[in-house]
Amino acid sequence: METTLATQTKTIAIIGNPNVGKSSIFNQLTGLNQKIGNYPGVTVDKTVGFIRIGEKEFNLIDLPGTYSLYPKSEDEVIAHRVLNGLGQEKPDFALVILDACNLERSLLLGTQVMDLGIPMAFVVNMKDLAHKKGIHIKTFELYKSLGVPLVLTDARNNEGMDSIRQVMSEEKFESPKPLLVSADFANPELLNQVKQRFGFENSYQAFQLLVFGEFDKTLSIADKDWLNEKSNVFDFDSKKQQVRETEARYVKISEILKKAVSRDKVKSSNVTISLDNVFLSPVFGFVIFLGIMLLIFQAIFAWASFPMDLIDVGFAGLSGWIYENLPAGVLTDLLAEGIVPGIGGVVIFIPQIAMLFGFLAILEDTGYLSRVVFLMDRLMRPFGLHGKSVVPLISGMACAIPGIMAARNISNSKERLITILVTPWMSCSARLPVYIILIGLTVPDTLWMGVSLQAVGLLAMYLLGVLFTLLGALALKFILKTKEKSYLLTELPIYRLPRWKTVLLTMFNKSKIFVLEAGKVILSISIVLWVLASYGPSGKMEALENEKTAILENTPEAGWPTVEEIYASKKLETSFIGIMGKAIEPAIRPLGYDWKIGIALLTSFAAREVFVGTIATIYSIGGDVENELTIREKLVKEVHSDTGEKVFDKATGFSLMVFYAFAMQCMSTLAVVYRETKSWKWPILQTVVMTGIAYLAAFITYQIFS
Amino acid sequence: MTAANLTLQQSAFIDSIGDTDISINFLELGILPGKEIKLLKKAPFGGPMAFLIEENIIALRQQEAILINLKS
């Protein structure tokens, strides 16, 4: 007999310090069953994974890495809100990841979660490393004093994952006794009133809400005012009580660890310190940093070209095949000239985007990215930036959107705002296709001292972006005012080999986001463009077609291709898009652009990479598709109809690249800036200032090179 | 004497943490009174300093390092 049991999916929140292996464990448990979303009202990514163990199903919420449950950034606010079920369903259980080599510090967060009263279990990760360091953990002793089940793991080597799955499937979570008495740090009557108003079961939840009150942007004004008023009435000093609580917690934790942990007196050789002697050395450290950057650019420009060529040829072949094998008609034209080149224009950048995010993931996973903060802080500060601005700025080289979102780690609001505002000037991967095509057209493909001259050209564009990013920051430093003090207090994690699974997952996820998000925009714009370029005001297109047929009848067959080409270009001129491009031509003529480039500029305001799709569509329409010419080869042949000179000469090519380097041409970035700053003032200012500077700089460039 | 006065490879014990708005940030990273602290690295031109506290390496600017009072 079969019975159907309604399987109820339970929710488990995973929390731990940064660099404790939390993501490793999360990835090992959920694999590719991950969804990335948003928490309401804040910008922290919500990563939820799904796991099925036997009959049971669980949703795993991956909370951001934090050192404690004190309000410092939105990361902590989210951890606090999720664990207390504020604004969302409270998770059924919590899984706290502890660092076996760093139990004292990780138990600060661990015991805070304990005090919240949620049923939980501890995962003591990196047991192998602790063993090497001569640290012995008496798990039973620890269990006795904490009252929380614990599992020893080594996530990097996939050890102990079965034990975690067992804890989950058997629901071996326990609600421990609180470590501290909340009434020692706040008036019991105050705690009671908070508990009643917010429906909390436990006093530490009330204490947490008092502490987080003024930081939690999602809290209603009425609640905030009420908390403020009560704090005043009961004379509750939040900062002071946080320090007292932490000190009391450490006292208790060290009492527990004295019994539960013993250490051998082995002097282990510290690989990290030896490596830091190299990576953080005053001169050589910077040389290595520059070398790594150069390697990344070389990889993106040179190594990615092989898969890109394959994709290029593949899609051109597909267009040709469609023409040969499908019946001629509007749909076939749309497929061969609109959709296929449109998709090809998206897919072709996957190798580069995957590579860049792969490199960034490796740098982060090995622990090197924190060293970059250490090295660069002093250089960033004169520009009103923080050492931590380097990570958003470098991420901005992949895409401004994750870069701007990464600026959340900067606690000083002025430094954060400056970072957000200037990050779009870093050369993002969407500019890369534009640069690659234009550099290919204007810079000779020769070697200079063993380095490709084209690679030097690309590096120059990136450096131009960096230079203006810094200058922009410097200007903002004097414009924006703040009273907040800037500080740097960060951990340099131990060096480790990158986890290839994490790196590959990042590469996969980022490429997926690019294809799905940017791809949607690019593909739909490609189709709209094809329509706009294929149709014109009624009657005119037909008139041209009739004219062409008449001329063809009086021309020998050898002359037909020339006639076809002339009329293709005439038709494009007559089309809706030709009309739009011509309308803006007077404004962009001083920059060296004709109306075709004007069309590309117009469509690029949706997203920069659309430039390539637009250019592909504009130049392939009406042309001889069976020739399967690639975009670049087509563009080289493009000449001004009046003068016969190349359209993409040095002056125009350089001017275009400069325009793309500076102009704000990404609607998604503007949306993210709005979300991060909670004001339309900044994105609007960004658009006006950046595009104004782009116009000016492109004008100057064109005048110099023409 | 504060942690900012340490010379490279010199170590000392932490006496107290200066009372400021960021005291809590020191505590949660495990920078606690009674712990041994050793200066490992200094970034050039008066940049950040890297300290070893137990087995963790923590980077601070000089302006934060002077908040760590050392036992003489």
Side-chain angles (χ1 to χ4, degrees):
Chain A
M1 198 178 83
E2 247 185 67
T3 49
T4 43
L5 278 170
T7 41
Q8 198 206 344
T9 310
K10 298 226 166 144
T11 309
I12 304 173
I14 298 189
I15 188 168
N17 291 358
N19 307 311
V20 76
K22 186 172 61 69
S23 317
S24 271
I25 291 174
F26 183 77
N27 287 337
Q28 299 276 17
L29 290 175
T30 61
L32 287 173
N33 293 320
Q34 299 182 8
K35 271 200 187 122
I36 301 169
N38 282 102
Y39 292 104
V42 292
T43 45
V44 179
D45 284 332
K46 179 179 191 174
T47 313
V48 179
F50 176 79
I51 177 173
R52 176 181 287 131
I53 309 163
E55 296 272 296
K56 295 198 173 179
E57 295 178 345
F58 297 94
N59 279 325
L60 266 62
I61 306 178
D62 188 17
L63 291 174
T66 61
Y67 289 104
S68 71
L69 287 181
Y70 290 126
K72 281 200 334 224
S73 68
E74 283 187 339
D75 287 348
E76 284 85 2
V77 174
I78 277 306
H80 153 76
R81 289 188 67 85
V82 169
L83 290 172
N84 285 314
L86 292 164
Q88 57 230 300
E89 196 94 354
K90 190 173 167 172
D92 297 288
F93 312 111
L95 200 62
V96 182
I97 319 293
L98 306 176
D99 178 350
C101 309
N102 245 319
L103 274 178
E104 185 181 42
R105 199 175 65 186
S106 32
L107 275 173
L108 177 70
L109 176 68
T111 59
Q112 282 188 315
V113 178
M114 271 170 61
D115 289 5
L116 289 174
I118 183 168
M120 62 185 293
F122 283 128
V123 172
V124 183
N125 194 29
M126 302 201 265
K127 63 173 171 117
D128 285 28
L129 208 60
H131 184 75
K132 267 187 214 146
K133 287 183 173 176
I135 299 169
H136 301 287
I137 301 164
K138 298 169 198 148
T139 37
F140 185 67
E141 197 67 45
L142 205 54
Y143 170 66
K144 265 202 314 192
S145 33
L146 293 171
V148 179
L150 45 100
V151 174
L152 285 174
T153 61
D154 183 24
R156 279 192 181 244
N157 298 316
N158 210 357
E159 274 177 48
M161 293 303 120
D162 284 334
S163 315
I164 299 179
R165 285 192 198 98
Q166 198 185 342
V167 166
M168 283 161 52
S169 70
E170 292 171 17
E171 296 187 9
K172 277 200 269 179
F173 298 95
E174 283 174 38
S175 297
K177 266 193 283 176
L179 189 78
L180 297 179
V181 180
S182 301
D184 290 350
F185 310 102
N187 187 308
E189 181 48 33
L190 171 64
L191 293 173
N192 264 332
Q193 290 189 13
V194 177
K195 264 164 79 176
Q196 268 170 20
R197 185 180 166 101
F198 293 90
F200 289 142
E201 295 148 18
N202 131 340
S203 301
Y204 191 61
Q205 290 180 300
F207 178 80
Q208 285 268 311
L209 196 74
L210 281 166
V211 167
F212 273 95
E214 55 181 311
F215 285 87
D216 190 346
K217 285 186 213 143
T218 48
L219 220 56
S220 75
I221 295 173
D223 283 344
K224 248 182 219 183
D225 288 346
W226 185 87
L227 285 168
N228 256 335
E229 194 200 310
K230 289 291 168 189
S231 295
N232 284 336
V233 170
F234 286 94
D235 202 18
F236 175 76
D237 181 343
S238 163
K239 286 257 174 200
K240 201 171 149 193
Q241 297 307 334
Q242 285 176 45
V243 172
R244 280 192 60 215
E245 189 211 317
T246 307
E247 285 169 350
R249 229 169 251 290
Y250 271 125
V251 170
K252 290 251 178 171
I253 291 168
S254 63
E255 277 170 17
I256 292 170
L257 293 181
K258 233 177 247 164
K259 284 183 279 173
V261 174
S262 65
R263 287 195 81 136
D264 294 344
K265 285 268 174 214
V266 284
K267 192 70 206 155
S268 55
S269 68
N270 199 324
V271 183
T272 294
I273 290 177
S274 322
L275 282 174
D276 271 341
N277 283 333
V278 182
F279 287 125
L280 297 185
S281 84
V283 180
F284 205 52
F286 289 97
V287 174
I288 293 174
F289 178 56
L290 264 179
I292 290 174
M293 291 293 110
L294 204 66
L295 177 83
I296 293 175
F297 293 128
Q298 181 76 20
I300 288 168
F301 201 79
W303 302 348
S305 68
F306 176 68
M308 289 175 72
D309 286 346
L310 278 185
I311 294 168
D312 200 14
V313 170
F315 274 89
L318 187 61
S319 277
W321 183 88
I322 288 171
Y323 259 114
E324 276 167 25
N325 293 285
L326 293 184
V330 178
L331 268 180
T332 305
D333 286 352
L334 172 64
L335 207 60
E337 291 174 351
I339 294 177
V340 169
I343 296 176
V346 177
V347 173
I348 198 162
F349 300 111
I350 291 177
Q352 288 174 328
I353 286 169
M355 262 192 196
L356 189 56
F357 277 107
F359 276 112
L360 279 177
I362 291 170
L363 293 188
E364 173 149 36
D365 215 42
T366 48
Y368 184 72
L369 221 47
S370 310
R371 269 71 188 183
V372 176
V373 175
F374 179 87
L375 285 173
M376 300 300 287
D377 184 65
R378 183 67 190 88
L379 300 175
M380 290 287 118
R381 279 170 63 195
F383 300 101
L385 296 165
H386 190 275
K388 286 187 179 170
S389 304
V390 174
V391 176
L393 292 182
I394 292 178
S395 307
M397 286 187 180
C399 177
I401 294 163
I404 286 167
M405 283 167 12
R408 263 179 247 146
N409 293 335
I410 306 167
S411 47
N412 180 285
S413 61
K414 179 177 168 181
E415 287 168 343
R416 178 163 174 248
L417 183 61
I418 294 179
T419 308
I420 289 173
L421 291 178
V422 299
T423 295
W425 261 345
M426 295 299 284
S427 270
C428 67
S429 56
R431 288 185 180 97
L432 198 55
V434 182
Y435 291 162
I436 287 173
I437 283 188
L438 293 172
I439 287 174
L441 288 170
T442 52
V443 180
D445 186 12
T446 46
L447 287 181
W448 175 72
M449 287 173 27
V451 185
S452 148
L453 209 56
Q454 294 187 336
V456 174
L458 185 68
L459 186 65
M461 287 316 295
Y462 273 80
L463 290 178
L464 184 72
V466 172
L467 179 73
F468 270 76
T469 303
L470 293 179
L471 290 177
L474 188 64
L476 287 168
K477 180 187 167 187
F478 292 107
I479 295 167
L480 301 171
K481 299 272 172 259
T482 184
K483 279 183 203 153
E484 269 175 80
K485 274 184 92 177
S486 161
Y487 68 89
L488 174 80
L489 234 171
T490 190
E491 185 172 12
L492 305 181
I494 57 166
Y495 286 106
R496 270 182 291 198
L497 288 174
R499 294 159 293 180
W500 299 109
K501 194 172 174 182
T502 308
V503 173
L504 289 174
L505 259 172
T506 310
M507 291 168 77
F508 175 76
N509 281 334
K510 299 292 177 183
S511 309
K512 194 170 105 184
I513 287 171
F514 172 77
V515 170
L516 294 183
E517 299 301 315
K520 259 187 261 167
V521 180
I522 299 170
L523 185 60
S524 40
I525 286 177
S526 299
I527 293 170
V528 169
L529 271 173
W530 179 82
V531 171
L532 285 177
S534 303
Y535 297 92
S538 62
K540 289 201 174 165
M541 288 301 230
E542 287 80 0
L544 271 176
E545 192 64 38
N546 293 339
E547 210 181 301
K548 189 180 84 180
T549 322
I551 292 178
L552 280 178
E553 277 170 14
N554 301 323
T555 317
E557 206 168 313
W560 286 6
T562 330
V563 176
E564 289 278 3
E565 264 175 40
I566 291 168
Y567 274 89
S569 124
K570 275 192 180 175
K571 271 163 102 176
L572 195 54
E573 242 183 295
T574 322
S575 71
F576 289 118
I577 210 154
I579 294 167
M580 285 160 70
K582 283 202 171 143
I584 65 158
E585 194 171 19
I588 55 173
R589 196 67 243 182
L591 311 185
Y593 312 153
D594 62 5
W595 56 273
K596 286 184 181 176
I597 298 176
I599 295 167
L601 285 189
L602 284 177
T603 54
S604 287
F605 273 89
R608 292 179 189 91
E609 58 271 36
V610 172
F611 174 84
V612 179
T614 307
I615 292 282
T617 312
I618 287 178
Y619 289 105
S620 72
I621 278 186
D624 190 355
V625 183
E626 277 167 49
N627 264 344
E628 288 156 12
L629 286 177
T630 53
I631 298 169
R632 196 185 286 175
E633 285 163 342
K634 272 187 185 132
L635 295 186
V636 172
K637 293 187 174 171
E638 200 61 28
V639 290
H640 283 293
S641 50
D642 45 351
T643 57
E645 279 171 35
K646 269 190 178 181
V647 171
F648 290 94
D649 59 359
K650 270 205 170 60
T652 300
F654 287 181
S655 157
L656 254 182
M657 281 196 279
V658 166
F659 188 85
Y660 273 80
F662 295 143
M664 172 43 106
Q665 293 167 295
C666 181
M667 295 194 298
S668 321
T669 301
L670 289 175
V672 170
V673 171
Y674 166 70
R675 211 176 61 169
E676 296 286 326
T677 58
K678 303 271 181 253
S679 147
W680 278 113
K681 179 177 153 194
W682 301 114
I684 290 171
L685 200 80
Q686 239 177 344
T687 313
V688 173
V689 172
M690 284 174 67
T691 311
I693 290 175
Y695 187 90
L696 217 75
F699 176 73
I700 294 168
T701 310
Y702 184 71
Q703 298 307 325
I704 291 173
F705 286 97
S706 66
Chain B
M1 178 162 151
T2 71
N5 305 120
L6 287 174
T7 53
L8 285 176
Q9 300 305 317
Q10 189 191 357
S11 43
F13 286 92
I14 300 174
D15 181 56
S16 63
I17 307 292
D19 186 15
T20 62
D21 273 1
I22 57 168
S23 311
I24 192 84
N25 304 43
F26 285 89
L27 298 181
E28 64 163 28
L29 278 170
I31 308 174
L32 303 170
K35 299 246 151 142
E36 191 172 6
I37 180 170
K38 179 175 172 186
L39 178 63
L40 288 180
K41 283 276 162 204
K42 277 173 142 174
F45 312 112
M49 307 167 92
F51 294 99
L52 184 71
I53 296 161
E54 291 204 322
E55 305 227 334
N56 304 316
I57 304 173
I58 310 279
L60 307 170
R61 286 182 188 154
Q62 289 188 0
Q63 64 193 60
E64 282 88 48
I66 56 172
L67 296 174
I68 303 175
N69 300 310
L70 302 176
K71 286 179 185 155
S72 45

